[in-house]
């Protein structure tokens, strides 16, 4: 196991009716900006619960944060935060609303051009407006981590930043808020959580047994409950287990003391930036291809994954690895998320475009061995057509 230092400061309020806890978390004299997306929270009763919890607290709203949130949209909210002397941001939504709100929180206190936050991966952020979250989509883990992914629509650049200043002060995780999710977003969320786990697990062995077995438990939950959520979207226990699994998949816990890959995410980000695929869709396409391309380097962990997740113990190494990768692909498809670029109307013309964006962003040494170059990405994407 590698050395590590670990802390996570987000207060979690999990379960039915927990939105009411906002009252205890937001200072009574705060000036709150409630941020949200395209309006799902106004239809499913979540906004009403939030407004009720904030009874007596001064708040204004900023809606319209799109999926894969745009820098251009978020800068409008930054102006409102400054003009209205907002001193608390309450993000109500999925990963896009939470990520966008993290950016708003940091940009409103940033002395220079806010795009610099992204260009420096958040390293120069020294302050942010305090942020709380009400999560409505189990997927990204943004509710309990300090990362955010932002898109500059004008240039199709989708990039991320990290800062301890945007770690949510608290997050409410009420599984009932996810009952209204469209099947496509439930599927995306399960795939995203799954890929978060394996980006931190299917690398190379470092004898980190806690992290490995924790990761395997999360994967087994997703395999068991993902399809159940599609079949019965209002099953509370299923939604609860998926929600906590997704949060645990990317709150830093399973990242402790182990190598991390993240090649699938970095390649996927460029595909979303250029072609607008959902985040989960890009991962479903890229992950199997990365694993096929890197199966020699990932052999130890792929064999462990094959045995402990899929029970594959017969046959030679290569056939067990191939079967595990195929089973993974089949699971993503079962979640309603296609695993080939062609299924999204894309062809080999995407390859040079993705390579060019990775070069432009300096993402030229990907993976746990930092050995995936744009030339390797070309081969990986050929496997994903
Ligand atoms: O905008 P509204 O109307 O709310 O609709 C949203 C949106 O259309 C809808 N939705 C959310 N909750 C709902 C709901 N519809 C009905 N009922 C509900 N309860 O779902 C759609 C997608 O929402 P979005 O927030 O975009 O999805 P997700 O949570 O998957 O977030 C994706 C974004 O997070 C980033 C991705 O890159 C992408 O930009 N990520 C953030 C990470 C992080 N901060 O740690 C890590 C991830 O790897 C990921 O990169
Ligand atoms: Zn992700």
């Amino acid at each position: 196991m590698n050395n590590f230092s670990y802390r996570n400061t987000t207060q979690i309020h999990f379960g039915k009716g927990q939105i009411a806890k906002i009252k205890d978390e937001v200072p009574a004299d705060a000036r709150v900006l409630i941020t949200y997306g395209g309006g799902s929270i106004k239809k499913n009763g979540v906004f009403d619960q939030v407004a009720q919890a904030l009874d007596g607290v001064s708040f204004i709203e900023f809606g319209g944060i799109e999926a894969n949130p745009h820098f251009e949209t978020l800068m409008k909210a930054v102006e409102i935060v400054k003009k209205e002397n907002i001193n608390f941001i309450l993000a109500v939504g999925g990963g896009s609303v939470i990520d966008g709100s993290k950016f708003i929180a940091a940009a409103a206190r940033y002395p220079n051009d806010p795009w610099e936050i992204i260009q420096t991966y958040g390293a120069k952020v020294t302050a942010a407006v305090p942020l709380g979250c009400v999560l409505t989509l189990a997927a990204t883990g943004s509710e309990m981590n300090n990362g955010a992914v932002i898109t500059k629509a004008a240039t199709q650049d989708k990039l991320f930043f990290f800062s301890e200043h945007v770690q949510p002060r608290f997050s409410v995780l009420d599984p009932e808020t996810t009952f209204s999710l469209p099947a496509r977003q439930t599927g995306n969320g399960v795939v995203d959580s799954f890929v978060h786990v394996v980006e931190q697990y299917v690398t190379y062995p470092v004898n980190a047994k806690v992290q490995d077995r924790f990761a395997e438990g999360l994967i087994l939950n997703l395999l068991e409950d993902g399809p159940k959520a599609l079949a019965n979207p209002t099953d509370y226990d299923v939604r609860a287990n998926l929600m906590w699994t997704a949060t645990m998949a990317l709150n830093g816990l399973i990242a402790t003391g182990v190598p991390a890959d993240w090649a699938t995410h970095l390649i996927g980000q460029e595909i979303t930036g250029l072609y607008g695929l959902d985040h989960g869709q890009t991962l479903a396409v890229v992950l199997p291809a990365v694993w096929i391309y890197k199966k020699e380097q990932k052999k130890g962990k792929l064999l462990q994954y094959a045995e402990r997740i899929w029970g594959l113990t017969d046959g030679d190494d290569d056939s067990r690895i191939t079967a595990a990768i195929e089973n993974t692909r089949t699971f993503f498809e079962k979640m309603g998320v296609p695993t080939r670029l062609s299924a999204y109307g894309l062809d080999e013309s995407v390859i040079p475009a993705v390579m060019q964006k990775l070069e432009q962003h300096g993402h030229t040494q990907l993976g746990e061995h930092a050995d995936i170059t744009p030339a390797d990405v070309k081969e990986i994407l050929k496997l994903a057509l």
Side-chain angles (χ1 to χ4, degrees):
M1 197 189 305
N2 301 335
N3 290 2
F4 64 87
S5 303
Y6 177 65
R7 173 176 63 168
N8 192 307
T9 55
T10 301
Q11 172 79 46
I12 297 292
H13 296 293
F14 190 98
K16 219 178 273 199
Q18 290 282 59
I19 290 175
K21 288 270 168 64
I22 294 171
K23 184 91 185 156
D24 308 329
E25 294 283 1
V26 177
D29 60 353
R31 290 178 60 77
V32 180
L33 183 68
I34 297 179
T35 48
Y36 61 94
S40 68
I41 67 160
K42 297 262 170 140
K43 293 185 203 125
N44 61 11
V46 172
F47 179 83
D48 293 339
Q49 290 184 63
V50 170
Q52 201 179 343
L54 284 179
D55 187 31
V57 180
S58 159
F59 69 82
I60 54 175
E61 299 173 27
F62 182 84
I65 297 178
E66 54 282 274
N68 309 305
H70 291 176
F71 170 78
E72 291 87 345
T73 304
L74 304 172
M75 286 308 295
K76 292 181 190 155
V78 170
E79 288 313 308
I80 294 171
V81 170
K82 290 181 177 170
K83 193 162 141 257
E84 302 289 338
N85 293 317
I86 296 295
N87 56 18
F88 203 98
I89 297 175
L90 185 60
V92 187
S96 295
V97 170
I98 298 176
D99 283 9
S101 303
K102 288 175 175 175
F103 183 78
I104 296 165
R109 298 281 183 269
Y110 200 72
N112 308 329
D113 172 8
W115 188 245
E116 189 186 271
I117 295 172
I118 304 295
Q119 288 172 319
T120 54
Y121 298 98
K124 291 188 183 175
V125 174
T126 57
V129 179
L131 173 75
C133 307
V134 177
L135 182 67
T136 67
L137 200 173
T140 65
S142 187
E143 64 279 5
M144 202 177 177
N145 71 36
N146 65 11
V149 192
I150 306 300
T151 299
K152 199 180 226 183
T155 54
Q156 297 183 303
D157 289 314
K158 188 177 189 209
L159 291 163
F160 52 87
F161 80 101
F162 299 96
S163 169
E164 59 176 322
H165 300 283
V166 300
Q167 178 88 30
R169 302 290 169 104
F170 70 89
S171 285
V172 176
L173 278 57
D174 178 345
E176 287 191 336
T177 64
T178 65
F179 286 0
S180 58
L181 279 169
R184 172 169 148 193
Q185 299 305 340
T186 297
N188 282 339
V190 168
V191 170
D192 192 20
S193 311
F194 191 104
V195 177
H196 291 159
V197 177
V198 296
E199 295 261 34
Q200 304 164 92
Y201 166 70
V202 179
T203 56
Y204 54 87
V206 293
N207 203 6
K209 293 187 179 181
V210 174
Q211 296 86 329
D212 277 7
R213 291 205 159 93
F214 207 111
E216 287 152 4
L218 297 175
I219 294 170
L220 291 171
N221 287 349
L222 294 167
L223 294 178
E224 195 168 297
D225 280 348
K228 288 186 192 165
L230 289 182
N232 188 359
T234 58
D235 183 321
Y236 181 84
D237 289 329
V238 163
R239 290 296 196 179
N241 281 300
L242 286 180
M243 201 171 216
W244 194 223
T245 298
T247 302
M248 282 295 171
L250 198 57
N251 68 356
L253 190 63
I254 63 166
T256 54
V258 298
D261 180 342
W262 297 119
T264 294
H265 268 73
L266 287 165
I267 298 167
Q269 253 170 45
E270 305 299 3
I271 298 174
T272 299
L274 288 165
Y275 306 104
L277 268 65
D278 296 344
H279 176 60
Q281 295 174 336
T282 68
L283 305 177
V285 165
V286 178
L287 182 84
V290 167
W291 280 1
I292 293 167
Y293 189 70
K294 281 288 174 193
K295 66 181 173 187
E296 265 318 300
Q297 291 87 341
K298 289 180 178 293
K299 192 173 183 175
K301 287 311 264 302
L302 277 171
L303 285 170
Q304 181 178 325
Y305 169 77
E307 179 174 350
R308 295 195 191 171
I309 301 299
W310 299 106
L312 296 163
T313 50
D314 294 336
D316 61 22
D317 289 358
D318 198 57
S319 65
R320 275 179 283 150
I321 288 173
T322 301
I325 296 172
E326 274 316 300
N327 287 353
T328 309
R329 183 191 293 285
T330 304
F331 174 66
F332 293 166
E333 298 271 354
K334 190 171 164 188
M335 289 309 302
V337 190
T339 59
R340 297 276 177 195
L341 285 167
S342 51
Y344 302 94
L346 298 178
D347 58 24
E348 62 276 359
S349 65
V350 310
I351 297 176
V354 170
M355 287 169 69
Q356 192 265 326
K357 276 291 181 192
L358 286 167
E359 294 269 13
Q360 181 197 327
H361 296 146
H363 296 158
T364 54
Q365 295 178 299
L366 309 182
E368 65 272 19
H369 299 292
D371 62 352
I372 300 178
T373 65
D376 296 297
V377 172
K378 181 178 180 180
E379 300 307 316
I380 288 168
L381 289 177
K382 281 189 198 163
L383 295 167
L385 287 171

